[in-house]
Every structure is written in structure tokens, then in C-alpha cells.
Amino acid sequence: MQIGHLEARPRVGYFYVNKKPYQTIIDKIMKLRVRDFLSVPVVVSENTVIYDAIVALFVNDVGTLFVVSEGEILEGIVSRKDLLKTTLGKVDINQVPVSVIMTRMPNVITTTMEEGLWHAGRKICSHEVDALPVVKEITQDKIIKYKVVGRLSKTNITKAFVDFGLGKFGSEEENDY
Amino acid sequence: MQIGHLEARPRVGYFYVNKKPYQTIIDKIMKLRVRDFLSVPVVVSENTVIYDAIVALFVNDVGTLFVVSEGEILEGIVSRKDLLKTTLGKVDINQVPVSVIMTRMPNVITTTMEEGLWHAGRKICSHEVDALPVVKEITQDKIIKYKVVGRLSKTNITKAFVDFGLGKFGSEEENDY
């Protein structure tokens, strides 16, 4: 037997709510969407040399670069650690392109505009990455490809956490509790 | 008209609570303490050469190293970006020590075991850092110094956020809602 909740009915007056406060928090968190928390993506092409990629990282003040082909199609991802690792070896960062050191599709963990912020946060934690490319699936030459439309990082989630403490929970649309 | 909750008190019966659900979330967030979310700090000494610091970063799988003197006293902090920046110049990473590139005390943003997780998160966002050393104030030779006792990063806050969605809110002590 399915037992439901008693909820509010206009003109009926008080009603009993047996939700614990923490259930309210969980419900609130689960309603948050990636689209309301993402940042602008910073992209480079596959033939960008490592030196230029490092410069792009500093110029744009990000921790992760997305490697794309024409049409902003996701090909790979390069982290600060990927770039830093090259300093330990004999790699000529003025010659070697990022395509040599990047994590290549389909091994890149991604998210979408519509995905829950919580689910994206769980991906970041379980896959131990700093940021996820926010992608949109498109079909090109009958092949499914992923266009990069945003960036979601631990910074975005940390900011969301700080916003919660200020009473801000995502978009206005979601704030009508 | 604002309609609140009816809640139970032993032997008193129902009473009126006009707290909005999001106030409950804010209260809950503000009760969280750094001590329940921190990680083990990874430290190096001032004379560690940059190459060895980069190795320490990979071996310990962290993004930030704390530079300490004897007794784990905080002297500075080195991020992945500080280390990465050396690759753009003519720095000999096998010769130059981290003391040359680190952010030095008293310019390091710190937190304590007792500080609120929210306040620490706000520091991380406003100062645009990845991690804070968790310190304990001690007096040595009549001078106030800061002993490193932990590390709090965006990863810890992202994990806390994921835990919220699973109904876990800090220590058991704080979970008796």
C-alpha cells in the first residue's frame, strides 16, 4: 500500500506536516540545477602548446581547460595537475601540444544544464576532478557529439554553499518556498 | 498570510512555529564547524626545492602545500598555480626553494577548528584560494605563532554539500534535529 503525505489545501486551514527539517534541506538541494551555478568555459584547441595552455589558465584565472574542435565540440580536458606533471619530465612545453597530455573523450566526466547540482557535485567528488564541462548533446554527421556550453567547478559549489547561508538558493524560480 | 508549522512538545501539545524552511537550512549551515570537515595537512619546509614540492603534491594528492618551520609552525602556503607559474619563467626547479614562490605569513588566510564551515567557505571564495590551513594559536618565546593542524579545501566543502543531500549534516552531535 502506498502511503502519501497530507498536504495543503486552500481554505482548509492547518494541516499536519511530518517532514523533518532536514528533509526540507534535502528537497531544496535536490531542486538545484547546474544551469543556475555554472561559469563560462575556457577552451583551447588540440594543437595549443602546453606553454600557451598554461598562459590561458592564468589569463582566464581558471583551474581547468577544455580542449575543443571546431564548433566547441569537446575533445578533452586539461587540469593544472596535468600541466604541472609536464614540469617533472623532459617535455618541451613550447613544442608539445595539450592533446598529448589531456584526458580524452569519452573518458571525460561531463554534466548538463538540466542535471541536479547535487548529482554534479557527487560526480566531482567520486571522480576526483576539479571541474566538469557542461555539455549539450548534438548530432553532427549522424554522430552524437558534445558541445561545451559551460563549466562547473568546486568553486561554483563552494559559492552555492556560501549563498545558502545567505538565504539564496538558486534561481528566483526555485526560491518560492 | 504566513502559515507556519505545527510542532510537538512533550506534555505541552502543539505550538506555532513561524520559521520558514529556508531559515532552518541557514541555522543548520551556521552550526557546522570546520573541525568536522577538515583533511590532513600536507607540509613541506622552506628549503624544499620546487621540484620536490611538486612531487609532494602528487604523492599526497593535494592541491595546496603548507610551508612550515619546526613544530609545524605556519610560514607560508604554495598552490598548484604558484608551482605552475615557475614553468613559464627561467626558474631552475631543482635549485630554487619553495620559500621564493610561497605566499608568506602574515598574508596567508587561515581558519580554525572552531570556525564555522560557512565562514571558512566565504573566506575561500572572497580570497579566491583553494584551501585554508587550519591553525591553532600558540605562544612561543612570547610571540604568537600558528601551528598547522588541518587543511580545509573546496573539496571538503563540495563533499559537505554532497553529504547534505544524503541527509548527513556534520558531526552526530549536530544531527539531533
Side-chain angles (χ1 to χ4, degrees), chain B:
Chain B
M1 191 181 83
Q2 180 63 45
I3 301 180
H5 290 86
L6 291 176
E7 291 193 354
R9 270 186 182 169
R11 294 195 193 87
V12 174
Y14 291 100
F15 64 99
Y16 182 69
V17 181
N18 66 355
K19 259 189 185 177
K20 289 180 180 174
Y22 68 71
Q23 190 56 47
T24 308
I25 306 180
I26 294 170
D27 291 351
K28 200 78 193 163
I29 286 175
M30 292 302 170
K31 277 187 181 172
L32 304 171
R33 292 287 164 264
V34 165
R35 64 166 179 264
D36 295 316
F37 295 90
L38 50 73
S39 295
V40 171
V42 177
V43 300
V44 294
S45 65
E46 283 203 51
N47 56 10
T48 305
V49 296
I50 293 171
Y51 182 96
D52 292 340
I54 296 173
V55 171
L57 205 98
F58 280 100
V59 168
N60 296 286
D61 196 22
V62 292
T64 311
L65 298 171
F66 304 138
V67 184
V68 297
S69 52
E70 218 187 306
E72 309 286 292
I73 303 303
L74 183 63
E75 300 295 342
I77 189 168
V78 180
S79 71
R80 281 169 291 193
K81 279 202 159 175
D82 294 330
L83 294 167
L84 201 53
K85 208 176 275 175
T86 64
T87 63
L88 298 178
K90 299 282 179 210
V91 177
D92 181 352
I93 64 171
N94 291 293
Q95 293 290 331
V96 178
V98 289
S99 56
V100 172
I101 60 160
M102 74 183 187
T103 300
R104 191 175 289 274
M105 284 293 279
N107 300 319
V108 178
I109 313 300
T110 62
T111 185
T112 62
M113 290 282 191
E114 297 72 34
E115 188 167 48
L117 186 68
W118 182 82
H119 288 87
R122 194 176 55 169
K123 282 181 182 176
I124 286 175
C125 290
S126 63
H127 295 281
E128 298 185 359
V129 293
D130 278 332
L132 304 173
V134 183
V135 297
K136 189 180 169 183
E137 204 178 291
I138 60 165
T139 306
Q140 215 175 51
D141 306 329
K142 293 183 183 168
I143 300 166
I144 292 172
K145 295 185 174 183
Y146 298 92
K147 186 186 164 93
V148 177
V149 292
R151 174 172 57 92
L152 188 87
S153 69
K154 289 176 190 167
T155 306
N156 298 119
I157 292 180
T158 303
K159 281 183 181 162
F161 170 76
V162 172
D163 279 350
F164 293 169
L166 297 171
K168 300 179 200 164
F169 305 95
S171 67
E172 285 308 308
E173 185 189 16
E174 307 287 349
N175 271 345
D176 54 1
Y177 241 77

Side-chain angles (χ1 to χ4, degrees), chain A residues 55-120:
Chain A
V55 171
L57 204 99
F58 280 101
V59 168
N60 296 285
D61 197 21
V62 293
T64 311
L65 299 170
F66 304 138
V67 184
V68 298
S69 52
E70 218 188 305
E72 310 286 292
I73 303 302
L74 183 64
E75 300 294 342
I77 189 167
V78 180
S79 71
R80 283 170 289 195
K81 278 202 160 175
D82 294 330
L83 294 167
L84 201 52
K85 208 177 273 176
T86 63
T87 64
L88 298 179
K90 300 282 177 210
V91 178
D92 181 352
I93 64 171
N94 291 293
Q95 294 291 332
V96 178
V98 289
S99 56
V100 173
I101 60 161
M102 74 183 188
T103 300
R104 191 175 287 275
M105 285 292 281
N107 300 319
V108 179
I109 312 302
T110 63
T111 184
T112 62
M113 289 281 190
E114 297 72 35
E115 189 168 48
L117 187 68
W118 182 82
H119 288 88

Side-chain angles (χ1 to χ4, degrees), chain A residues 4 9 18 27 36 43 49 58 60 74 94 118 120 127 145 160:
Chain A
R9 279 184 177 170
N18 66 357
D27 291 350
D36 296 316
V43 301
V49 296
F58 280 101
N60 296 285
L74 183 64
N94 291 293
W118 182 82
H127 295 281
K145 295 184 175 184

